Amino acid sequence: GRLWARQNAEIKPEWAERIGAHLVKRSYSEPHWSQKRQAVMARERVTLYGVPLAADRLVNFGKVDPPLARELFIRHALVYGEWATRHRFFTQNRDLLKQAEELEHKARRRDLVVDEHTLFDFYDSRIPETVVSGAHFDQWWKQERRSHPDLLTFDPAMLVRDAAGEVSAADFPDRWVSQSHDFEVRYHFEPGAADDGVLIDIPLATLNRVDDDDFSWNVPGLREELVTELIRGLPKAIRVQCVPAPNTAREFLAAVPAGDEPLLTALERFLRGTRGVHIPPGTWDLAHLPPHLRPTFRVVDERGRERSRGKDLDELKAPLSGDFAKAMAEVATDTGLARTGETTWVFGDLPAVVEEKRAGHEVEAHPALVDEGATVGLQVFGSAAEATARHRYGVARLLLLALGTAPVKGIVDSLPMADKLGLAGSPYPNVDALLADCLRAVVLDAVGEQGPRTEQQYADLLAALRRDAPQRVRELVTGSVLRVLDSWRETDKALSGRVEMALLPALTDLQAQLGRLVHAGFIGEAGGAHLARYPAYLHAMRTRRAKLAESAANLHRDREAMERIGPLQDAYLHRVEALADGRPPGPGLRAVRWMLEEYRISLWAQQIGTAGPVSDVRIRKALDAA
C-alpha cells in the first residue's frame, strides 16, 4: 500500500521556456521608471499550458512597448527630474523651473507655472521615437547637441502663464536692503507650515544689530494684507472707526512712506490723525496674524549653517546673549578698554568705536567713561547711544572729583539772610548738598551731550571750569535756584490740604508732576537752561489748581486734558523704566521730558506761553526717535 518513487532527472522551468517558446504565454505588469537602471522596467509572467514558468521577473519594458516606455522615460526622467544625469540642459531646466516656482511662492498662488503636460509636450516634440531609456537618450544626444545645443533648454517665457506678469520684482525683492544691512530673502508658500511666508537669512555676526522693528513693514507685496489684518485684529470699539479695513490700509500705505519708522507707530499716528482713534499700548494683536505676514528669521553662521529659526528676533537673540557679552568682554580686555576706580584722566585718547571679531562675531564696541560714584571707570558698550549717555555722566564725575568743593566756597556767606533761609527750605538734606548739585549742573552743561574723548580736550574743559565754575554756580543760585524754591513752596502749599473726591485724580497728577520736577538732585538733572523754565511750569500748576476749584465745567475740561497727556506721560515713564540698570536717559528721552512739561502749559495755562511749538504729534515723534 506504500508509494515508491525515484527521481530520474531534474527538469528546470527555463528549459521548457526556451524549448517551448512558441507555446508559452507572456504577460507584463507594473511598468515603471527605474532611476538605478535608467530605463523603464516591468514585471513579466511566463506560463506554459497554465503552468507558471516565471513570475515577477524584472525586464526592460522598452523592448516590449517602446511608445509607452518612451512616454514614461520623458515624464519621469525629464519632466519630474527623476534622473541622475549631468547633462547641462537638464540642470539649467531645473534651475529655470525653480525660478518660475519662486513666483508662486512670492505671489502665494498655484496657477502661475505651466503644468507638467506642457513640459511633456516640449520634450515629446523634440526627442525621437527611438529614445526609450537613459542609454538611448545619451547615445542620441551625444550627436544632436553638436548641431543643436539649446534644443532641449527651456525658454523662461514658456514656463509661466500670462498672470505671472502681475508679480513685480519690486514687490517681492530677493534682498532686504536697508541703510546698514543687506540680507537674502526667500519665499515659501505652504499654508499651515511654521515658516510659511518670507524667510530672511540673518548672519550671526549682525544679529545684535537688528530688531523686529527693522522688518515690521514686511515686503511691499504683503503690506496691504498685513495692514488690513492688523486693523481687523483691533478691538471692536476701535475697529468700527476704521472700516472698511482694506480701504483704510490702502489709504495709509498711499499716505505714509514705508520704513521711516516702525509700522505700528506709523499706523497709530495715521489713525489718530485721520480717524481720531487712539490706540492704547498693547492693543495690537500680532500673535493672531496669519503666519505668512510675519517674517521668519533664519540665523546662519559664517559657514552658512543654520543656528536657529523663528519669527521673534528677541527670542532668537536670547540664547546667544552670553556669546555677545563674552565677545564684548574680550574686546574690552584685549584693547585695554576696561578700567575701574580712577580719579584722573588716565585713559589716553578714546575712540568712538572699536571694531573687533570675537568668537565668530563682528563686534562693534563703543568705549565710554562710567560714573562709579566716588571714582570713574572705563567700559565698552554694544550701542553708541548707551555709550554716549554714560560717557557724559562719567566725564562729569571725573571733573567734579578734580574740582572738589572750591567752586562753591563762600557762596552762602555772601547771600542775604532771606536767601540763606530760602536755600535751607529745599528737598535737599542740607545746603551743602544743594550747592554740590548746582556745581554738578554747571559741569554737565559744560560737558554737553558728547563729552571730551581726548586727554587734551578734557584738560581744556577742566581748566575752563576751574576759571568759570565759581561764577556760574553763583549765578545759578541767585538767578534760578532761589526763584524755583520759592515757587515750589508756593505750589506745594496750593496742593496741600483736604480735597473733594472729584478732584482727587487731578490732584494726584499734579502731585506726581511736582515730585518729578523738584526733588533731591533736580538741579543737576535739569541743568541751567531748563531750570530757568521751572517758574513757568510751577505757575501753570497753580493756575490749573485754581481753575479746578472754580466750576464743574473746568473739572470736565481738566479730565479731557488729562486723557490727552496721560498716555504720553505713561509712554515716557515706561521708556525710562525700561532702561538698563545704571543707564541714564539719552538726549532724546530728556528732550521728551521737557516737551511734556511745555505741553502741560499749553493744556492748562496757555496764557503763559510755551518755549516752542509742542503737540501730542511732536511728542510721539520724539518718543519714536528716542
Side-chain angles (χ1 to χ4, degrees):
R2 293 191 299 172
L3 174 65
W4 297 86
R6 178 184 298 274
Q7 178 179 318
N8 293 324
E10 178 184 8
I11 297 179
K12 295 184 177 180
E14 49 267 35
W15 296 350
E17 181 182 356
R18 184 175 67 253
I19 297 171
H22 59 295
L23 299 174
V24 300
K25 292 184 178 180
R26 303 175 187 274
S27 60
Y28 301 92
S29 63
E30 302 178 28
H32 62 278
W33 167 253
S34 172
Q35 277 190 268
K36 182 178 180 180
R37 292 177 171 82
Q38 298 188 24
V40 178
M41 309 298 290
R43 300 290 178 180
E44 184 183 46
R45 178 180 175 83
V46 184
T47 61
L48 178 61
Y49 298 123
V51 177
L53 301 180
D56 291 335
R57 177 190 291 166
L58 202 60
V59 297
N60 192 320
F61 196 61
K63 298 178 181 179
V64 178
D65 189 346
L68 180 56
R70 177 178 177 273
E71 178 184 344
L72 293 177
F73 163 71
I74 293 176
R75 193 170 300 280
H76 287 271
L78 298 176
V79 175
Y80 297 160
E82 300 171 359
W83 190 17
T85 182
R86 295 183 179 180
H87 291 308
R88 180 180 298 176
F89 83 87
F90 185 81
T91 303
Q92 291 176 338
N93 287 352
R94 303 315 297 174
D95 291 340
L96 289 171
L97 273 174
K98 287 181 180 178
Q99 294 175 16
E101 290 168 356
E102 185 73 11
L103 289 176
E104 292 189 330
H105 286 284
K106 290 179 178 179
R108 304 187 62 76
R109 298 169 56 176
R110 291 298 189 200
D111 59 348
L112 299 182
V113 179
V114 296
D115 57 26
E116 62 185 54
H117 303 297
T118 303
L119 304 181
F120 177 85
D121 292 342
F122 171 85
Y123 286 117
D124 183 42
S125 64
R126 288 163 172 77
I127 296 175
E129 295 180 356
T130 55
V131 174
V132 297
S133 68
H136 288 89
F137 181 91
D138 291 341
Q139 185 178 6
W140 166 74
W141 184 241
K142 183 178 181 180
Q143 302 299 326
E144 184 68 23
R145 67 186 178 189
R146 293 176 181 175
S147 55
H148 302 95
D150 296 327
L151 177 65
L152 299 180
T153 303
F154 291 153
D155 179 358
M158 64 163 281
L159 299 178
V160 294
R161 304 185 191 278
D162 294 339
E166 302 172 6
V167 183
S168 166
D171 287 340
F172 299 95
D174 295 324
R175 309 290 302 182
W176 189 289
V177 180
S178 64
Q179 294 181 349
S180 57
H181 304 298
D182 184 353
F183 301 133
E184 180 182 357
V185 178
R186 288 174 290 161
Y187 300 86
H188 185 65
F189 178 32
E190 187 181 356
D195 55 354
D196 183 31
V198 180
L199 180 65
I200 302 175
D201 283 354
I202 307 290
L204 180 62
T206 61
L207 183 60
N208 64 331
R209 305 181 195 174
V210 296
D211 55 39
D212 290 302
D213 284 344
D214 294 329
F215 307 94
S216 62
W217 287 82
N218 212 313
V219 296
L222 295 176
R223 282 177 191 156
E224 183 176 328
E225 184 182 0
L226 171 61
V227 177
T228 301
E229 291 299 324
L230 283 170
I231 294 173
R232 286 173 174 168
L234 290 170
K236 184 177 180 180
I238 300 176
R239 187 176 65 249
V240 294
Q241 303 179 61
C242 307
V243 293
N247 292 355
T248 303
R250 286 190 288 271
E251 183 183 346
F252 163 73
L253 293 173
V256 180
D260 289 350
E261 57 187 341
L263 172 63
L264 296 183
T265 302
L267 186 54
E268 288 175 5
R269 181 177 296 114
F270 174 81
L271 294 178
R272 186 170 58 254
T274 61
R275 304 293 194 277
V277 175
H278 170 65
I279 311 294
T283 301
W284 297 111
D285 188 6
L286 300 180
H288 289 85
L289 281 175
H292 71 276
L293 295 179
R294 298 184 63 194
T296 299
F297 302 103
R298 179 173 171 264
V299 181
V300 295
D301 61 18
E302 55 191 5
R303 296 183 180 179
R305 296 174 300 187
E306 182 176 319
R307 293 287 299 272
S308 59
R309 179 188 295 229
K311 292 185 177 292
D312 191 324
L313 275 177
D314 289 337
E315 291 182 1
L316 296 179
K317 291 178 183 181
L320 301 172
S321 59
D323 293 344
F324 288 122
K326 179 181 178 181
M328 196 67 68
E330 289 178 358
V331 172
T333 302
D334 295 348
T335 57
L337 298 175
R339 303 180 72 100
T340 186
E342 304 295 346
T343 56
T344 59
W345 188 285
V346 293
F347 314 106
D349 294 347
L350 295 177
V353 61
V354 175
E355 296 184 357
E356 294 283 333
K357 190 168 185 177
R358 291 291 187 278
H361 304 284
E362 294 177 3
V363 179
E364 282 191 358
H366 301 270
L369 301 188
V370 293
D371 184 359
E372 297 177 337
T375 58
V376 173
L378 174 62
Q379 297 180 19
V380 294
F381 299 93
S383 73
E386 181 174 4
T388 300
R390 291 183 182 268
H391 186 68
R392 177 173 182 259
Y393 286 90
V395 171
R397 176 59 61 191
L398 202 63
L399 291 168
L400 289 170
L401 291 172
L403 292 171
T405 59
V408 299
K409 284 185 178 179
I411 291 180
V412 175
D413 295 339
S414 63
L415 295 176
M417 182 58 64
D419 291 346
K420 292 179 182 179
L421 293 174
L423 293 178
S426 78
Y428 290 86
N430 51 57
V431 175
D432 289 340
L434 183 148
L435 293 176
D437 200 35
C438 291
L439 176 59
R440 182 169 179 264
V442 168
V443 170
L444 283 170
D445 287 345
V447 170
E449 292 299 342
Q450 299 296 326
R453 303 198 70 88
T454 69
E455 188 170 4
Q456 186 59 50
Q457 291 172 347
Y458 171 79
D460 293 344
L461 182 57
L462 177 59
L465 283 171
R466 288 189 192 278
R467 181 184 67 249
D468 301 333
Q471 181 61 28
R472 292 184 182 179
V473 173
R474 182 181 298 276
E475 291 174 354
L476 184 64
V477 170
T478 58
S480 296
V481 173
L482 286 169
R483 289 177 56 213
V484 169
L485 291 177
D486 285 342
S487 184
W488 167 67
R489 287 188 288 267
E490 183 180 354
T491 305
D492 185 55
K493 182 178 179 180
L495 301 182
S496 301
R498 299 181 62 182
V499 296
E500 299 177 8
M501 185 63 67
L503 302 181
L504 190 57
L507 265 294
T508 300
D509 180 62
L510 281 166
Q511 289 167 351
Q513 179 188 3
L514 186 62
R516 289 190 298 269
L517 282 173
V518 183
H519 53 83
F522 81 94
I523 299 174
E525 186 180 278
H530 294 296
L531 202 65
R533 288 289 295 168
Y534 264 55
Y537 302 152
L538 296 168
H539 183 193
M541 294 176 67
R542 295 193 298 272
T543 300
R544 178 186 176 188
R545 176 66 182 92
K547 288 182 178 180
L548 284 171
E550 290 177 359
S551 67
N554 286 345
L555 179 59
H556 178 71
R557 285 191 288 269
D558 189 276
R559 289 173 179 170
E560 290 180 344
M562 283 182 61
E563 289 176 357
R564 295 177 64 181
I565 197 171
L568 300 174
Q569 189 77 59
D570 292 342
Y572 162 75
L573 295 175
H574 176 73
R575 294 286 181 89
V576 174
E577 292 171 0
L579 294 174
D581 291 342
R583 175 177 175 175
L589 273 182
R590 294 202 306 275
V592 171
R593 183 217 170 148
W594 305 117
M595 290 177 70
L596 286 168
E597 296 300 333
E598 298 294 341
Y599 190 41
R600 286 178 175 273
I601 289 179
S602 71
L603 290 175
W604 282 290
Q606 296 89 342
Q607 69 276 11
I608 296 177
T610 61
V614 64
S615 66
D616 60 341
V617 173
R618 292 176 183 271
I619 294 174
R620 290 186 184 280
K621 286 184 177 180
L623 273 170
D624 295 337

